[in-house]
Amino acid sequence: MAGSKLDEIDRKILAELQADGRMTNVELAKRVGISAPPCLRRVRTLEDAGYIRGYHADVSARDLGFEVQVFAMVGLVSQAEVDLSVFEGKCREWPLVRECHMLNGEVDFLLKCVAPDLSTFQSFLTEQLTSADNVASVKTSLVIRCAKDVPGVPFEILEERVRQLESGL
Amino acid sequence: MAGSKLDEIDRKILAELQADGRMTNVELAKRVGISAPPCLRRVRTLEDAGYIRGYHADVSARDLGFEVQVFAMVGLVSQAEVDLSVFEGKCREWPLVRECHMLNGEVDFLLKCVAPDLSTFQSFLTEQLTSADNVASVKTSLVIRCAKDVPGVPFEILEERVRQLESGL
DNA sequence: CGTGAAACCGTCGCCCC
DNA sequence: GGGGCGACGGTTTCACG
């Protein structure tokens, strides 16, 4: 269940497609060292098994006019499961909210938001988020700049672990 | 500079490729209502202009054995530009750190980290992050669950704004 | 931006190990 | 079980109108 059913070729396929999701299948096959048909079969299998959830173009938010990125730390009044779910449902409906993570610790949820400008975000903050039922507190932090934003997982770490497991047989 | 040089077709292309980055060019052309060659030319132009930064398969971290996701709030001793850059450089080299955002407010940086398990993360936390030069404080929060994680930007908002701008001519 | 053509690719059936 | 070969249909990507 923890990546154990994948062999080295599967992991290479995932790593390559994570790095370049538009690569042609023949190019991918060449890189992982098999021919195209089995390579495509593996990709389909990985997709169907849920290892690959989709493919997305990484668009530049800033260039598209989304100049504001904000992290919002949200505390709720009630942390009963029903109330958590209700809040999560709202987050899914708010387009400005791109990520909603439930955390341990002082704060209940961490939200990543984008907006075209500060006033758009402020409207959302006061009219939607802060005034939503069950929301006790909201603390926001503007992103000044982003030093790193890489998608997915570090396959280097995965390979390292596999090597350790194999040597420890 | 704020998405103003893009026409409606360009925005549709970006929205479609954000939703499905592996769509064939003919399918994309059909959806945006032009023929394939000009569609491909537009895609190339958008790529070259930086509106599209790349294409990535969205792989399932959990299924690959990365069971732990953590947000780390980092405070530095010195916020001089040189020292900020040095810290950002380290974040870029740490594979467990996937995102590094500089924030306003109490905390200097917010890091999103992934790890195969808690002990791997703890090692990274104590041996690398907390003990790095210039790091004053680190507060971490485990992600209990993720209610929403959509890539990119909300094109609905963009179209809404374009409509407002056009009606206000 | 569209059309046509050539090269390439995705995909299938079949054979092999 | 998985990988390779060959072939067909669709796609990418030119040059040109």
Side-chain angles (χ1 to χ4, degrees), chain A residues 53-65:
Chain A
R53 278 199 277 246
Y55 304 87
H56 306 282
D58 177 15
V59 305
S60 168
R62 276 244 153 66
D63 290 343
L64 280 169

Side-chain angles (χ1 to χ4, degrees), chain B residues 46-72:
Chain B
L46 290 169
E47 288 169 355
D48 294 343
Y51 289 99
I52 298 176
R53 278 200 276 248
Y55 304 87
H56 307 283
D58 177 15
V59 305
S60 168
R62 277 245 151 66
D63 290 342
L64 280 168
F66 291 87
E67 320 238 334
V68 173
Q69 247 192 91
V70 189
F71 283 96

Side-chain angles (χ1 to χ4, degrees), chain A residues 1-3 6 14 17-25 49-67 69 71 81 84-85 88 91-104 106 110 112 114 116-117 120 139-158 161, chain B residues 1-3 6 14 17-25 49-67 69 71 81 84-85 88 91-104 106 110 112 114 116-117 120 139-158 161:
Chain A
M1 202 153 285
L6 301 179
L14 291 171
L17 286 179
Q18 178 176 282
D20 178 7
R22 275 218 122 186
M23 194 181 308
T24 65
N25 182 57
Y51 288 100
I52 300 177
R53 278 199 277 246
Y55 304 87
H56 306 282
D58 177 15
V59 305
S60 168
R62 276 244 153 66
D63 290 343
L64 280 169
F66 291 88
E67 320 237 334
Q69 248 193 91
F71 284 95
E81 178 55 36
L84 295 173
S85 296
E88 291 176 336
C91 286
R92 284 193 208 95
E93 284 172 10
W94 286 324
L96 294 187
V97 175
R98 307 312 281 171
E99 299 180 23
C100 170
H101 306 274
M102 180 177 161
L103 302 183
N104 77 342
E106 316 160 19
L110 178 64
K112 187 201 267 184
V114 297
D117 48 49
T120 304
K139 286 208 290 188
T140 60
S141 280
L142 273 167
V143 174
I144 308 288
R145 68 189 190 204
C146 180
K148 183 176 188 176
D149 191 354
V150 291
V153 298
F155 279 94
E156 322 126 65
I157 302 285
L158 230 187
R161 302 208 107 218
Chain B
M1 201 155 284
L6 301 180
L14 290 170
L17 286 179
Q18 177 177 282
D20 178 6
R22 276 218 124 188
M23 194 182 306
T24 66
N25 183 57
Y51 289 99
I52 298 176
R53 278 200 276 248
Y55 304 87
H56 307 283
D58 177 15
V59 305
S60 168
R62 277 245 151 66
D63 290 342
L64 280 168
F66 291 87
E67 320 238 334
Q69 247 192 91
F71 283 96
E81 177 55 36
L84 295 172
S85 296
E88 292 176 337
C91 287
R92 283 192 209 95
E93 284 173 9
W94 286 324
L96 295 187
V97 175
R98 308 312 282 170
E99 298 181 25
C100 170
H101 306 275
M102 181 176 160
L103 303 182
N104 77 341
E106 315 161 18
L110 178 63
K112 186 200 268 184
V114 296
D117 49 47
T120 304
K139 286 209 288 188
T140 59
S141 281
L142 273 168
V143 174
I144 308 288
R145 69 189 190 204
C146 181
K148 183 176 188 176
D149 190 354
V150 291
V153 299
F155 278 94
E156 323 127 64
I157 302 284
L158 230 187
R161 302 208 107 217

Side-chain angles (χ1 to χ4, degrees), chain A residues 4 17 20 24 35 54 74 79 87-88 107 120 133 151 161 169:
Chain A
S4 32
L17 286 179
D20 178 7
T24 65
S35 65
V74 179
Q79 283 90 13
F87 179 73
E88 291 176 336
V107 76
T120 304
D133 281 352
R161 302 208 107 218
L169 283 181

